[in-house]
Amino acid sequence: MTERMWNNHEMRSSYDVVIIGGGAHGLATAYYLAKNHGITNIAVIEQKFIGYGGSGRNTAILRSNYRTEEGILFYDQSLKLYEDLAQELDYNLMFSQQGHFTLGHSTASMQALTTRAAYNRALGVNSTILDPPEIKKMLPEIDISNHPRYPIMGALYHPPGGIIRHDAVVWSYARGADQRGVHIHQLTEVQDILVENGEVRGVKTNRGTIHCKQVVSCVAGWSSEICKMVGIKLPLVTHPLQALVTTDYKPWLHHVVVSSTLHIYLSQTDRGELVCGNGIDHYPHYGMRSTLGFLESYAAHLLELFPILHNVTVQRQWAGLCDMTPDYSPIISMVDDVDGFYINCGWGTWGFKGSPASGWNTAQMVAERKTPDMIAAFRHDRYVKNRLVGEKAAASVGN
Amino acid sequence: MPKVLVVAETKNGELKKPTLELLSLAKSMNLQAESVLIGKEVSSQADLLAGYGSGKVYVADDAGLEIYNTSKYTTLVADAVGQSGATQVWLTSSETGRDLTPRVAARMGVGALSDVTELEIDGDNITATRPCMATKLVQQCRFTKDGLRVISIRAGAYEAEEASPQTADTVSLSIPEGDARVEVRDIQVEESNEIELNEASIVVSVGRGTGGTEGCDFVKPLAGEMGAAFGASRAVCDAGWMPHKHQVGQTGTVVSPDFYFAFGISGAIQHLAGMSGSKVIVAINKDAEAPIFKVADYGIVGDLFKAVPVFQEEVAKIKN
Amino acid sequence: MEIIVPIRQVPDVALNIRVNEGKVVEDGVSFVISSWDETAIEGALQMTEELGGEVTLLGIGPERVSEALRKGLAMGAHKAIHVLYEEGQTDSFGYAKIMAKVMEGRNYDLILTGKQAQDTDAGLTASMLAEFLDLPQVTNIIRFSDLAVDGMTLYRKGDHGTEVIGIKLPAVVTVNDSLNEPRLASMRGIMMAKKKPMETLSPSDLGMGAEELGLQGSMTEVLKFEKPESRKEGERFEGDETETVPMAIQKLVSEAKLAV
Ligand SMILES: Cc1cc2nc3c(=O)[nH]c(=O)nc-3n(C[C@H](O)[C@H](O)[C@H](O)COP(=O)(O)OP(=O)(O)OC[C@H]3O[C@@H](n4cnc5c(N)ncnc54)[C@H](O)[C@@H]3O)c2cc1C
């Protein structure tokens, strides 16, 4: 075979750690286990191919201007890891920190954005409030008149936010893990998890059983299925999220723009395409189908913000699955009843930006068998203990 | 008793192989067959039709029938059906057949099954298998009402037996006026003595990987040396590197030769749908990920510009 | 020029298509406009851009077909007719009969559509429609010229070359995908599509009874679908062409009995 970025290996009958899911979170976890903790006898098991899930379908917006202390610190760590990642993995990730606008269209949303800016700055994250003329200076094509249904009243501007090449992140984590001895098994589906006396013993796959003492589930939208195998119920609901990309245009949009009121966000890639998305589809569903309804509402809302875009043509649309939690925060957690089983999920519509910090901390949790402080708030049992992380405002359409 | 009327097709006054395949099929099924022969200076072919088992041959030989004409051909076939009392009409799924099949069926007030690759006949019950969904699936169909059965059959689906001419029993058809609203003016042909794509047992085809007309011309001599027909992908024809008549695929000619050589063809779905019936597929492509390799029996990952001269040497060796 | 473009909504054949107990599994299938019909829409738009007039789309089938029609409207077609048809399996003959009914009393110069549908790959409906309407037909065109309100020149890809055909309108014409590259819908087009007129008709609005619909109105039926035995990838040869080519040819001769 021609040379790949990672190798195909024979599947061993046992590994120290099995990671389920070849998305950015699973691969980052494998990479940091090997790099930070010297644990390399690891298998990443992927049912289809690397990046088949949300990691290959997202719109790659990165930012850290969250609302809660837990969220801000976690995503700030993630963003900082992203800043050095291209060099560390020796791979061009096309990370462009072009700045991120969250538009406010009502007094209530301006208040919320102002609070966020204050929290962000208190924790050292660069965020400011801009008024419409300031917005217009940076986004000359935007309509700040009071004609639209939802006039723009201001924006939260977050300079370190931006976009990255999502496939490159996935591939480079895979290559980095592979180079350190991790085995990546594609087209391998985990069908059951073997537990004896409350301890993990291995996983059953369509290609045979693998013995191991530690299993990490990084399957995002498929998490409920995996957790069922060990008898854990999580308050996750899977929703499809759609996105589209237009044909290429000369560069004109130099920042990421998000409007949660209009349910849209967009950015322009280096190639010139506009990458666009909106809120989740309003019904839980496991299908990854793109719909005309999405296109229609997206077009209407987009033209409200940027009337000059009426001739822009749509090249392709697609959908992915999002594992939504009630508090719009992730679950990164050990499980008391099943020793050696770790859950990493609840990444919803915003989890790609969390991949490095998620991998870093999950790796530490697996290696040390205890929860790092950084992710203490993201335990799975917070829902029964009523300790939710109130991140809804900042996460919903924010991606 | 079922009786088949085969609509014969000719090129340059000679019968085309798919027509002979249809007569051979009728014979192998012990079906009584007659045929209708339409064109300019084609009468001489009636004897070969008879040799292949055709009973009466209904002939329309006229200068005005040189180029295909929907209206005239439909009238002639309908006339022959009437005179012969045939219960089935078989056509080939050539461009002529594709145009004529539905029109003849509708003229006779019946339905049709097109592009059939497998036919089972039990008295008047017919079950036909045909590819669909860009050959991703096949479907089994049947006629549900009484009446004439109009069927087009894919070239190469059945073999033509060897046969020699016999004196034919011919009936002359009267030449219709044709529809005044349509004027078939001309046919633009690139003169050649090349082998027809859907008759060849070897096809050598080129794709975008040739990079242009020059690249196509670089591969073309190999086709000649192998006694192969020369094909091309849609990308090549649309770019004007090769004339459209070379196009292999669902929109061009559907081929099922014994050997299909794909040089620099990536294998878009409509191309695959037009050649995946080939017995043996050989793909030559620089891109190891090209979808064509998924259907190739022999896949050579390499540069076609380096591979073609080696092919030529090796073919010359075999010939000696 | 008034053009009616019958379009068909089909499963996207570029994706995996599953069969269960002889039937195509619709769940999870994404439906698109048959690609040849998209070419026809583009062709019709180009004609009306030159000569004026409107493009009317015609779709027959269940509710979901309205999505295909709206996509065609988003490309720029002016209006659409949806025959809301839930009668299930119907063959080309049956569809052509319904279309002929729709055309009754309508004013059109041209019926332009794809040379075949991407799901059935049958290529029968348009010519049957032409016969039912007693109109001339030209199928499989790759070019048109000399556009005028009462006629045009068409270039048909025939067996032995490109046939040049002058035609008087009205007529039925089908297109080969070499005719053009269909345009993508623009954002404005997508929005405007919602406001364009869509006429929804039921078979009974067309005066058609049960005996003309579904299998009863058909002349043929599909008994079952199957996955053909898929070709498996054979042997790969990688390396220097001077070595791989002779190796492959040797195998072609010895295993596959290639003779030249
Ligand atoms: C349209 C869209 C836009 C988005 N935009 C953004 C954005 O701009 N910014 C942002 O930060 N986030 C965004 N997200 C969210 C982000 O994509 C996800 O949160 C993130 O990619 C999750 O990564 P993951 O590695 O956890 O899961 P995934 O990438 O989904 O990987 C899970 C993998 O597990 C595999 N798997 C499942 N079950 C099994 C099994 N039984 N056995 C083996 N393997 C299995 C799957 O095949 C899959 O490859 C977006 C999501 C979508 C759908």
Side-chain angles (χ1 to χ4, degrees):
Chain A
M1 289 301 289
T2 42
E3 211 172 297
R4 307 262 167 176
M5 289 202 288
W6 56 85
N7 297 292
N8 289 323
H9 295 279
E10 286 285 302
M11 203 159 84
R12 292 184 194 143
S13 62
S14 92
Y15 288 93
D16 293 342
V17 182
V18 166
I19 297 170
I20 314 173
H25 290 260
L27 292 164
T29 301
Y31 171 75
Y32 291 117
L33 267 172
K35 175 167 175 275
N36 295 356
H37 306 281
I39 298 174
T40 58
N41 185 20
I42 303 174
V44 176
I45 307 293
E46 167 55 49
Q47 61 176 1
K48 296 272 164 78
F49 49 85
I50 296 296
Y52 170 76
S55 300
R57 297 166 192 261
N58 68 83
T59 44
I61 298 174
L62 308 186
R63 63 187 176 89
S64 61
N65 59 350
Y66 275 69
R67 164 68 207 276
T68 63
E69 184 175 347
E70 298 88 343
I72 295 167
L73 291 175
F74 177 81
Y75 289 108
D76 188 43
Q77 182 191 23
S78 214
L79 206 58
K80 292 202 169 116
L81 285 167
Y82 263 131
E83 285 170 1
D84 298 332
L85 205 57
Q87 188 155 28
E88 178 176 336
L89 295 172
D90 187 22
Y91 204 95
N92 185 359
L93 304 178
M94 299 169 102
F95 185 20
S96 152
Q97 289 187 288
Q98 51 186 240
H100 180 283
F101 283 85
T102 311
L103 302 173
H105 302 268
S106 66
T107 338
S109 70
M110 282 316 296
Q111 250 164 17
L113 293 177
T114 310
T115 320
R116 257 168 78 188
Y119 270 73
N120 286 176
R121 278 202 302 270
L123 292 166
V125 166
N126 191 351
S127 271
T128 47
I129 296 292
L130 299 183
D131 63 16
E134 289 171 313
I135 299 173
K136 183 83 180 165
K137 235 185 262 161
M138 296 175 75
L139 300 169
E141 292 80 6
I142 204 162
D143 182 0
I144 54 162
S145 72
N146 50 14
H147 308 309
R149 280 181 306 158
Y150 300 106
I152 294 166
M153 299 179 66
L156 175 68
Y157 181 59
H158 174 49
I163 50 174
I164 199 163
R165 182 67 207 276
H166 59 311
D167 310 310
V169 172
V170 173
W171 297 333
S172 58
Y173 268 131
R175 188 177 67 168
D178 175 80
Q179 283 167 351
R180 288 170 173 77
V182 172
H183 285 189
I184 297 169
H185 297 297
Q186 303 189 91
L187 290 172
T188 310
E189 187 191 0
V190 171
Q191 293 168 330
D192 204 1
I193 297 173
L194 312 175
V195 182
E196 254 173 55
N197 304 326
E199 287 175 15
V200 166
R201 287 291 151 84
V203 296
K204 211 182 110 206
T205 79
N206 59 335
R207 292 173 54 207
T209 298
I210 304 171
H211 299 281
C212 64
K213 295 234 165 80
Q214 289 179 295
V215 169
V216 191
S217 168
C218 297
V219 296
W222 291 266
S223 295
S224 303
E225 305 294 309
I226 296 291
C227 288
K228 241 187 254 160
M229 298 173 188
V230 291
I232 311 171
K233 227 177 130 32
L234 295 175
L236 285 178
V237 190
T238 297
H239 285 270
L241 182 68
Q242 304 196 39
L244 65 88
V245 52
T246 69
T247 37
D248 359 320
Y249 300 91
K250 74 174 200 295
W252 63 275
L253 177 66
H254 308 295
H255 311 281
V256 180
V257 179
V258 175
S259 159
S260 27
T261 307
L262 290 173
H263 294 288
I264 70 169
Y265 57 90
L266 75 156
S267 68
Q268 187 172 25
T269 65
D270 291 340
R271 266 191 35 197
E273 306 140 324
L274 296 176
V275 178
C276 313
N278 74 345
I280 49 172
D281 290 352
H282 295 291
Y283 44 92
H285 190 53
Y286 269 94
M288 291 200 265
R289 188 139 124 194
S290 33
T291 62
L292 186 63
F294 159 64
L295 261 187
E296 286 175 348
S297 72
Y298 191 85
H301 292 156
L302 179 69
L303 294 188
E304 218 166 285
L305 281 189
F306 293 104
I308 60 148
L309 292 185
H310 58 258
N311 279 332
V312 160
T313 56
V314 176
Q315 191 180 30
R316 205 161 58 85
Q317 60 177 130
W318 68 92
L321 299 180
C322 293
D323 43 338
M324 308 291 289
T325 55
D327 56 357
Y328 289 74
S329 290
I331 299 171
I332 312 176
S333 183
M334 341 221 254
V335 176
D336 293 338
D337 301 340
V338 190
D339 194 32
F341 183 71
Y342 307 85
I343 317 169
N344 176 317
C345 67
W347 293 108
T349 63
W350 58 85
F352 195 71
K353 69 177 69 63
S355 312
S358 160
W360 181 284
N361 290 294
T362 307
Q364 188 179 338
M365 172 170 68
V366 172
E368 296 173 358
R369 288 187 174 248
K370 70 173 212 270
T371 307
D373 291 344
M374 177 64 92
I375 55 169
F378 301 143
R379 277 188 60 89
H380 75 102
D381 49 10
R382 66 180 184 268
Y383 301 102
V384 283
K385 295 186 174 155
N386 224 349
R387 285 203 204 116
L388 305 199
V389 189
E391 202 56 270
K392 176 156 183 169
S396 52
V397 188
N399 289 83
Chain B
M1 239 324 251
K3 181 175 185 181
V4 178
L5 180 74
V6 170
V7 179
E9 286 179 36
T10 58
K11 185 185 183 191
N12 299 334
E14 277 185 35
L15 285 173
K16 293 171 73 168
K17 187 162 153 248
T19 296
L20 305 177
E21 290 165 6
L22 298 191
L23 283 168
S24 298
L25 174 65
K27 194 170 177 191
S28 72
M29 290 178 153
N30 288 319
L31 294 173
Q32 192 189 344
E34 295 186 344
S35 54
V36 51
L37 176 61
I38 305 171
K40 177 189 165 196
E41 290 165 15
V42 291
S43 304
S44 62
Q45 298 299 302
D47 289 352
L48 190 56
L49 289 170
Y52 270 86
S54 171
K56 282 205 178 88
V57 181
Y58 301 87
V59 183
D61 194 336
D62 185 77
L65 294 169
E66 183 177 9
I67 311 175
Y68 172 68
N69 177 315
T70 309
S71 147
K72 290 182 185 174
Y73 274 52
T74 308
T75 308
L76 287 165
V77 174
D79 185 5
V81 171
Q83 293 196 39
S84 74
T87 60
Q88 300 183 15
V89 182
W90 289 3
L91 303 96
T92 71
S93 58
S94 60
E95 291 305 347
T96 297
R98 287 185 208 182
D99 187 87
L100 192 54
T101 302
R103 191 87 196 202
V104 165
R107 177 75 47 94
M108 310 304 292
V110 298
L113 291 173
S114 58
D115 207 18
V116 168
T117 49
E118 222 181 298
L119 201 57
E120 273 173 59
I121 299 187
D122 172 16
D124 277 331
N125 291 328
I126 295 181
T127 325
T129 306
R130 52 184 305 283
C132 61
M133 308 256 182
T135 68
K136 284 208 163 165
L137 300 182
V138 294
Q139 54 180 210
Q140 225 180 57
C141 310
R142 69 180 186 105
F143 289 93
T144 51
K145 305 269 162 70
D146 291 339
L148 184 70
R149 272 75 174 100
V150 181
I151 302 166
S152 74
I153 297 171
R154 187 177 273 206
Y158 290 95
E159 306 259 326
E161 306 295 326
E162 286 291 310
S164 22
Q166 276 176 24
T167 309
D169 175 6
T170 60
V171 179
S172 288
L173 297 172
S174 55
I175 309 300
E177 278 294 317
D179 190 334
R181 298 168 293 184
V182 185
E183 184 201 349
V184 180
R185 291 187 195 139
D186 189 14
I187 182 161
Q188 302 169 340
V189 208
E190 304 84 27
E191 262 325 314
S192 71
N193 39 18
E194 287 163 13
I195 302 168
E196 290 272 317
L197 273 173
N198 61 3
E199 294 188 14
S201 56
I202 306 177
V203 173
V204 169
S205 261
V206 290
R208 210 195 286 271
T210 53
T213 312
E214 281 175 21
C216 296
D217 288 340
F218 181 76
V219 185
K220 204 169 175 189
L222 176 64
E225 290 155 30
M226 294 179 75
F230 191 58
S233 71
R234 179 183 163 203
V236 164
C237 298
D238 279 1
W241 302 347
M242 279 284 135
H244 275 288
K245 66 168 180 165
H246 289 285
Q247 188 172 327
V248 170
Q250 245 190 330
T251 304
T253 307
V254 175
V255 299
S256 44
D258 294 339
F259 293 90
Y260 189 88
F261 291 84
F263 285 92
I265 294 181
S266 65
I269 173 103
Q270 288 190 0
H271 188 82
L272 298 182
M275 47 65 83
S276 59
S278 308
K279 291 205 183 76
V280 176
I281 296 173
V282 186
I284 299 89
N285 204 307
K286 263 205 292 215
D287 174 10
E289 307 289 322
I292 189 100
F293 284 121
K294 295 241 159 62
V295 300
D297 303 279
Y298 300 90
I300 301 172
V301 182
D303 184 350
L304 71 91
F305 292 97
K306 291 187 191 146
V308 168
V310 190
F311 263 101
Q312 288 176 308
E313 272 170 41
E314 294 296 314
V315 167
K317 276 190 217 158
I318 300 175
K319 277 189 171 167
N320 294 332
Chain C
M1 177 145 62
E2 296 305 313
I3 308 179
I4 298 183
V5 181
I7 63 171
R8 186 166 164 93
Q9 189 190 39
V10 299
D12 187 346
V13 294
L15 305 178
N16 188 24
I17 295 188
R18 288 176 301 149
V19 174
N20 186 21
E21 295 183 351
K23 294 204 168 64
V24 175
V25 179
E26 274 208 9
D27 193 39
V29 160
S30 93
F31 286 95
V32 296
I33 301 177
S34 178
S35 72
W36 286 287
D37 294 342
E38 275 190 343
T39 309
I41 298 174
E42 176 63 36
L45 291 174
Q46 288 178 10
M47 289 178 187
T48 52
E49 278 160 11
E50 192 170 331
L51 289 178
E54 294 198 326
V55 176
T56 305
L57 306 175
L58 166 61
I60 303 175
E63 182 51 43
R64 60 171 158 77
V65 169
S66 67
E67 272 216 359
L69 291 168
R70 263 149 67 214
K71 279 198 183 154
L73 292 173
M75 284 173 71
H78 302 81
K79 48 194 193 210
I81 306 165
H82 180 192
V83 179
L84 189 55
Y85 183 74
E86 312 268 6
E87 274 71 11
Q89 208 193 102
T90 304
D91 72 350
S92 309
F93 183 94
Y95 281 120
K97 282 282 183 193
I98 300 171
M99 286 181 193
K101 280 277 191 212
V102 175
M103 303 300 166
E104 264 176 28
R106 270 181 216 271
N107 169 35
Y108 56 87
D109 303 302
L110 178 64
I111 297 173
L112 191 68
T113 188
K115 76 184 194 83
Q116 71 197 57
Q118 240 176 342
D119 55 348
T120 65
D121 284 331
L124 299 169
T125 311
S127 303
M128 289 182 166
L129 175 64
E131 176 68 20
F132 297 152
L133 297 173
D134 190 23
L135 291 179
Q137 78 184 50
V138 179
T139 59
N140 202 26
I141 65 157
I142 54 174
R143 194 157 93 78
F144 55 80
S145 66
D146 311 325
L147 275 189
V149 279
D150 59 345
M152 61 179 85
T153 305
L154 299 170
Y155 300 80
R156 171 180 190 270
K157 184 175 175 292
D159 286 318
H160 305 133
T162 305
E163 297 159 13
V164 184
I165 302 167
I167 193 153
K168 289 218 164 58
L169 300 178
V172 175
V173 174
T174 76
V175 304
N176 180 298
D177 51 6
S178 298
L179 180 66
N180 59 46
E181 197 58 56
R183 69 192 65 183
L184 298 167
S186 72
M187 290 289 173
R188 186 182 31 204
I190 292 165
M191 266 177 67
M192 304 265 283
K194 283 195 290 191
K195 304 196 185 98
K196 289 181 176 170
M198 169 117 56
E199 187 185 348
T200 308
L201 299 170
S202 68
S204 59
D205 293 337
L206 295 169
M208 300 186 82
E211 69 293 344
E212 292 170 281
L213 304 174
L215 274 184
Q216 283 194 65
S218 302
M219 291 285 173
T220 62
E221 74 172 318
V222 177
L223 297 169
K224 63 174 178 194
F225 289 89
E226 274 170 8
K227 281 239 166 202
E229 255 186 55
S230 59
R231 293 191 81 102
K232 294 224 174 55
E233 181 174 344
E235 195 171 345
R236 281 251 189 154
F237 301 86
E238 292 182 62
D240 195 286
E241 289 81 357
T242 53
E243 284 166 18
T244 54
V245 173
M247 219 147 61
I249 292 198
Q250 197 202 338
K251 294 219 167 170
L252 273 167
V253 172
S254 63
E255 294 172 1
K257 309 285 173 238
L258 172 71
V260 291

